[in-house]
């Protein structure tokens, strides 16, 4: 029998975990916990759209002019992602309005893909959460998750969160905003929110954050046993 040399391919690119899901599904909290546990860099990509939304609100921009909004998107820097104002309800709504434009989305591609490709030392990889990470931004991600929960539970969570920021809101208003946001995110032509074909689905309606984390952690350890 002749021996043939076998060539081992070693994957050198950093590991990527893509987490998509609905608004207030718990995906951000899960992503942060996973990143801390596995030693990965974390990017909340919603903040990029929120930063564009905030810039547009401040500039009193025309929300029907995708090209003008894309110009604002091109100016977004990592530094402004720490602005606590980004967390507010009005900025979130503005984010989902600017996010419908292909030009705005394209202006934010490089930032997101660059983060995944170069998470930087000492990180072993990157976790990105958003709406189109597994479908558009990182289609080759090593692990893809899609997180959802019932609209009522998500509205309740978001309501409590906004109260904790000192916002004066009612549960009814939060519920109405959530329905509007779901519709816009799921039905837009550009990168609509949907699970990637090979995404692992998790419904957090009846799960505490710790229970959800343990499930996802176990899943990641199964898929990436050597990480
Ligand atoms: O996740 P978050 O609520 O911060 O996102 C704000 C909005 O930004 C979303 O409702 C969505 O319209 C948009 N977004 C997006 N694609 C992403 C992340 C957020 O379209 N990857």
């Amino acid at each position: 029998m002749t021996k043939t040399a076998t060539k081992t391919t070693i994957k050198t690119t950093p590991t990527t975990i893509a987490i998509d899901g609905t608004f207030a599904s718990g995906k951000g909290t899960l992503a942060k916990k996973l990143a801390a546990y596995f030693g990965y860099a974390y990017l909340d990509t919603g903040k990029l759209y929120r930063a564009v939304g905030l810039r547009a609100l401040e500039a009193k921009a025309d929300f029907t002019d995708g090209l003008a909004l894309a110009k604002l998107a091109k100016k977004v820097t990592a530094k402004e992602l720490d602005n606590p104002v980004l967390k507010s309800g009005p900025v979130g709504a503005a984010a989902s309005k600017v996010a419908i434009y292909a030009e705005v989305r394209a202006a934010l591609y490089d930032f997101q893909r660059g983060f995944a490709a170069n998470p930087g030392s000492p990180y072993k990889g990157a976790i990105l959460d958003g709406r189109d990470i597994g479908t558009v931004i990182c289609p080759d991600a090593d692990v893809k998750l899609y997180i959802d929960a019932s609209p009522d539970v998500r509205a309740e969570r978001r309501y409590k969160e906004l109260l904790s920021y000192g916002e004066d809101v009612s549960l009814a208003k939060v519920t109405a905003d959530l329905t509007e946001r779901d519709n816009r995110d799921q039905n837009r032509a550009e990168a609509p929110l949907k699970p990637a074909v090979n995404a692992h689905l998790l419904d957090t309606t009846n799960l505490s954050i710790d229970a959800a984390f343990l499930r996802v952690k176990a899943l990641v350890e199964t898929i990436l046993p050597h990480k």
Side-chain angles (χ1 to χ4, degrees):
M1 200 190 200
T2 336
K3 264 196 175 174
T4 46
T6 50
K7 202 174 151 198
T8 316
T9 315
I10 298 169
K11 189 172 179 284
T12 51
T13 49
T15 302
T16 305
I17 300 181
I19 307 187
D20 292 303
T22 47
F23 174 56
S25 58
K27 64 183 164 39
T29 312
L30 265 178
K32 252 180 260 163
K33 280 175 93 74
L34 285 173
Y37 182 83
F38 287 106
Y40 285 23
Y42 168 56
L43 178 65
D44 170 359
T45 65
K47 282 188 176 173
L48 293 169
Y49 292 89
R50 286 171 179 265
V52 182
L54 179 59
R55 278 177 175 266
L57 290 172
E58 285 175 349
K60 298 196 175 19
D62 177 359
F63 276 78
T64 65
D65 185 346
L67 283 177
L69 295 169
K71 279 190 189 156
L72 298 178
K74 284 185 190 141
K75 293 183 185 157
V76 169
T77 61
K79 213 173 146 208
E80 71 199 74
L81 304 185
D82 295 328
N83 184 350
V85 174
L86 295 185
K87 292 179 180 171
S88 79
V91 174
S96 95
K97 287 179 190 160
V98 302
I100 65 172
Y101 296 104
E103 300 90 336
V104 170
R105 306 195 70 81
L108 301 174
Y109 282 167
D110 287 354
F111 190 108
Q112 298 171 85
R113 289 181 178 148
F115 187 91
N118 301 296
S121 175
Y123 301 111
K124 293 183 280 181
I127 299 189
L128 285 78
D129 87 45
R131 303 294 190 287
D132 62 342
I133 307 303
T135 50
V136 177
I137 301 297
C138 302
D140 298 327
D142 302 81
V143 182
K144 295 183 188 179
L145 302 166
Y146 186 89
I147 317 294
D148 202 358
S150 76
D152 285 352
V153 164
R154 289 188 289 121
E156 184 76 38
R157 287 178 188 159
R158 179 62 177 159
Y159 173 62
K160 286 187 182 149
E161 190 187 351
L162 289 177
L163 288 184
S164 77
Y165 302 149
E167 267 190 48
D168 181 19
V169 282
S170 67
L171 180 58
K173 165 94 171 79
V174 173
T175 306
D177 288 351
L178 184 129
T179 308
E180 195 186 320
R181 184 100 81 90
D182 278 357
N183 281 335
R184 207 181 292 126
D185 288 354
Q186 286 163 3
N187 299 315
R188 67 187 177 208
E190 293 302 323
L193 170 63
K194 61 176 179 194
V197 275
N198 48 353
H200 298 267
L201 311 182
L202 181 72
D203 187 318
T204 65
T205 305
N206 297 310
L207 289 180
S208 68
I209 190 63
D210 285 342
F213 170 69
L214 289 177
R215 280 203 201 178
V216 174
K217 170 175 124 17
L219 177 77
V220 172
E221 283 169 341
T222 312
I223 300 172
L224 306 171
H226 54 294
K227 303 287 174 186

